[in-house]
Amino acid sequence: VDTYYQYQAAQVIEAKRMVVEVASGERQLAEVLEGARRQLVNAMRYGQTLYIRLASCACDFEHQFSSTEMFPIGVFDHVLRKEDVEHNTFRLREGFDVVVCTHFDAEDVHSYLRDSLPLEKMQQIAVIVSAGAPSHSSGRV
């Protein structure tokens, strides 16, 4: 899944990197959230997928990595700013969608992510790797 989206017209948010950069003090939370907001707006503007790659972390989008002014948990609420709008109009392009991918096993998703993401608003899809497929395939969605 990760490899697929690397080769698509997608805005990729590296959630694990966000957590590490804020925890280490490399970047401020506001700076990280603003970057995520810009990626969200670009995905909406150009009809791309917003691909949120959790990898093996439970980035807390419900609380810490959420802001009504920058990157809201509702993903659409209040993310547009004056500089994002052209001629008082913003057109959401066809093709925009949001994909959140984790490497947790399907049976562990709820226990690891229930406090980090609004799982009740998401459709869980488990990727099943067929026999003979490369073992480096991404985990589960």
Side-chain angles (χ1 to χ4, degrees):
V1 176
D2 289 337
T3 303
Y4 173 80
Y5 281 104
Q6 285 179 326
Y7 292 99
Q8 301 304 307
Q11 296 288 323
V12 179
I13 293 179
E14 296 285 352
K16 188 172 187 175
R17 181 182 304 152
M18 291 170 54
V19 171
V20 170
E21 288 177 348
V22 170
S24 69
E26 183 178 333
R27 295 174 67 200
Q28 295 295 314
L29 178 60
E31 180 184 5
V32 168
L33 290 177
E34 176 57 20
R37 185 197 74 81
R38 276 188 258 121
Q39 287 183 280
L40 169 60
V41 170
N42 284 333
M44 293 166 62
R45 176 176 284 136
Y46 301 116
Q48 298 174 328
T49 296
L50 179 69
Y51 182 67
I52 302 173
R53 184 176 183 268
L54 296 175
S56 59
C57 85
C59 182
D60 187 2
F61 284 109
E62 286 274 14
H63 305 99
Q64 183 181 8
F65 289 89
S66 180
S67 164
T68 56
E69 297 84 31
M70 289 190 226
F71 193 76
I73 191 63
V75 181
F76 300 108
D77 302 333
H78 306 98
V79 297
L80 298 177
R81 295 193 181 146
K82 189 175 183 175
E83 64 265 22
D84 301 323
V85 178
E86 298 173 11
H87 309 292
N88 294 323
T89 304
F90 183 88
R91 183 173 171 208
L92 178 64
R93 299 267 195 245
E94 186 176 333
F96 170 71
D97 59 357
V98 178
V99 174
V100 179
C101 184
T102 180
H103 291 185
F104 294 127
D105 289 329
E107 59 272 5
D108 295 331
V109 166
H110 185 74
S111 62
Y112 285 119
L113 300 177
R114 70 174 169 248
D115 296 328
S116 303
L117 291 165
L119 295 177
E120 70 280 358
K121 296 178 182 178
M122 299 178 158
Q123 173 65 51
Q124 182 176 335
I125 300 170
V127 177
I128 299 172
V129 180
S130 62
S135 62
H136 64 277
S137 296
S138 178
R140 287 95 190 147
V141 179

